[in-house]
Amino acid sequence: MTDIRKCAIIGCGHVGATTAFSLMKSGLFSDMVLIDINKERAEGEAEDLRHGLPFLAPMEIYAGDYSDLADAGIVIITAGAAQKQGETRLDLLRANARVFDTIVGEICKHNQEAILLPVTNPVDVLTELTRRRSGFPPERVIGSGTVLDTARLKHLIGKRLAVDSRNVHAFIIGEHGDSELAVFSSANISGIDLDHFSDSNGKFLDGAERERLFCEVRDAAYSIIRAKGATYYAIAEAVRRIVTAIVRDEETVLPVSVATAGKYGIDGISLSLPSIVGRGGILKVLEIPLSKEERSLLEQSAARIKQAMRELA
């Protein structure tokens, strides 16, 4: 039987270690096991984290192996090659697909009941590969998707309109990558239509400005990687947000990567779509209203993911 208050993180690179730090501070878990191909690295990260526990809630943090996953309620997978400067997320596909094939096989030997949370890029393809390789029901395989991209969009809109980004309601959907799209047609500020809010406050968001904001979101990872070599703080917080929704059974809406199962007429892949997330994982995948142009862009994004899956076969 799994324990929802025990999580595992597979991969102790920048993203895995920062995620562990964020989850340690969250108070969500009583146990956290770190697994890495470099056992010494995992042990070092676990020890460093444990030294911060006197300032936080008590919990067990330790380096382990796959047998320690037996009772974990949530398994977060951050292992794999990191995106390098000049690479797209899809460029990483073949190397990380091999890594995931091994990891998911090992997980399944010890645990058939956990919720699996792939974070490694290209996350939509790897989420689908995880679902197929594990045989887990689709509601228990949840990719981090465009939760981070959506946060980036909310931040930029809030900054542009001089309003708290937590009051901005908008989504990035599709591939977590170059073919993602911003759903501006239903975007709003605490229920106030985006156009109405911006016009009434003298902060106009015309088509050109929206495109500029979207491009900044889409290309954010490239910019950060060029400047510092990797992105990890914000994605760690995105993972924390997802697992919070699961552990606390929040039934909150997040744009995670999920099996499309015919939504928008798309099947056979995982894609980032707004979904209700709670204790059971994905409780429902939503079809939010899209404009004709947005629908076309989503279909193009899906086609890109399908092509990547074919190339991998």
Side-chain angles (χ1 to χ4, degrees):
M1 185 174 180
T2 59
D3 179 1
I4 197 63
R5 297 204 64 212
K6 178 177 178 177
C7 73
I9 298 175
I10 300 175
C12 293
H14 286 307
V15 173
T18 310
T19 296
F21 181 58
S22 180
L23 295 183
M24 178 183 75
K25 293 191 300 176
S26 73
L28 288 168
F29 298 101
S30 57
D31 289 85
M32 179 163 59
V33 56
L34 308 182
I35 299 172
D36 195 273
I37 192 170
N38 181 345
K39 184 69 176 291
E40 186 178 17
R41 171 69 182 268
E43 290 171 345
E45 295 291 358
E47 184 175 9
D48 195 7
L49 290 166
R50 286 194 299 268
H51 292 167
L53 288 175
F55 306 108
L56 301 165
M59 67 181 296
E60 294 293 327
I61 303 173
Y62 57 97
D65 55 34
Y66 287 102
S67 64
D68 293 300
L69 299 180
D71 58 344
I74 300 175
V75 178
I76 300 161
I77 311 172
T78 66
Q83 187 176 357
K84 299 181 178 65
Q85 185 173 340
E87 279 189 320
T88 68
R89 294 177 179 94
L90 287 178
D91 287 336
L92 298 173
L93 178 53
R94 290 194 179 278
N96 285 342
R98 290 191 295 270
V99 171
F100 263 57
D101 188 61
T102 299
I103 288 173
V104 176
E106 289 295 325
I107 292 171
C108 291
K109 290 178 184 177
H110 301 281
N111 190 325
Q112 295 283 328
E113 304 297 329
I115 292 173
L116 305 184
L117 176 48
V119 180
T120 307
N121 283 319
V123 70
D124 302 291
V125 177
L126 293 177
T127 297
E128 180 64 17
L129 290 178
T130 298
R131 185 186 69 81
R132 296 183 186 186
R133 177 71 171 86
S134 68
F136 281 27
E139 64 268 20
R140 288 199 284 113
V141 181
I142 309 170
S144 54
T146 52
V147 173
L148 172 54
D149 312 73
T150 293
R152 287 167 171 159
L153 180 64
K154 290 181 177 182
H155 167 71
L156 291 175
I157 291 176
K159 185 177 180 181
R160 178 69 180 84
L161 299 182
V163 66
D164 188 339
S165 60
R166 293 171 297 181
N167 297 137
V168 178
H169 302 284
F171 288 112
I172 298 285
I173 64 173
E175 176 200 4
H176 171 57
D178 296 339
S179 70
E180 65 189 23
L181 62 135
V183 184
F184 281 113
S185 63
S186 60
N188 65 85
I189 310 297
S190 289
I192 304 170
D193 178 78
L194 185 62
D195 286 333
H196 180 79
F197 185 94
S198 59
D199 292 352
S200 64
N201 286 277
K203 306 278 189 179
F204 302 107
L205 273 179
D206 59 16
E209 180 68 1
R210 292 184 184 193
E211 180 65 16
R212 185 189 69 78
L213 292 180
F214 166 68
C215 289
E216 189 170 342
V217 169
R218 184 196 62 200
D219 299 337
Y222 299 128
S223 174
I224 295 168
I225 290 168
R226 184 166 57 250
K228 58 176 275 188
T231 69
Y232 39 90
Y233 294 125
I235 185 57
E237 288 303 296
V239 173
R240 180 195 58 79
R241 183 68 193 91
I242 296 167
V243 299
T244 298
I246 295 169
V247 174
R248 294 182 176 168
D249 197 19
E250 290 183 341
E251 299 182 351
T252 195
V253 177
L254 295 169
V256 288
S257 186
V258 293
T260 52
K263 297 296 182 183
Y264 299 101
I266 301 167
D267 217 336
I269 59 171
S270 290
L271 206 61
S272 300
L273 297 174
S275 304
I276 301 176
V277 181
R279 179 62 61 87
I282 299 297
L283 306 182
K284 186 175 183 179
V285 181
L286 304 176
E287 282 198 48
I288 61 173
L290 300 177
S291 68
K292 185 176 180 180
E293 180 183 7
E294 289 164 351
R295 182 67 177 260
S296 176
L297 289 171
L298 180 61
E299 290 169 354
Q300 292 174 42
S301 188
R304 179 180 170 92
I305 298 298
K306 287 182 177 180
Q307 179 60 34
M309 294 294 297
R310 284 194 294 268
E311 291 176 1
L312 196 59

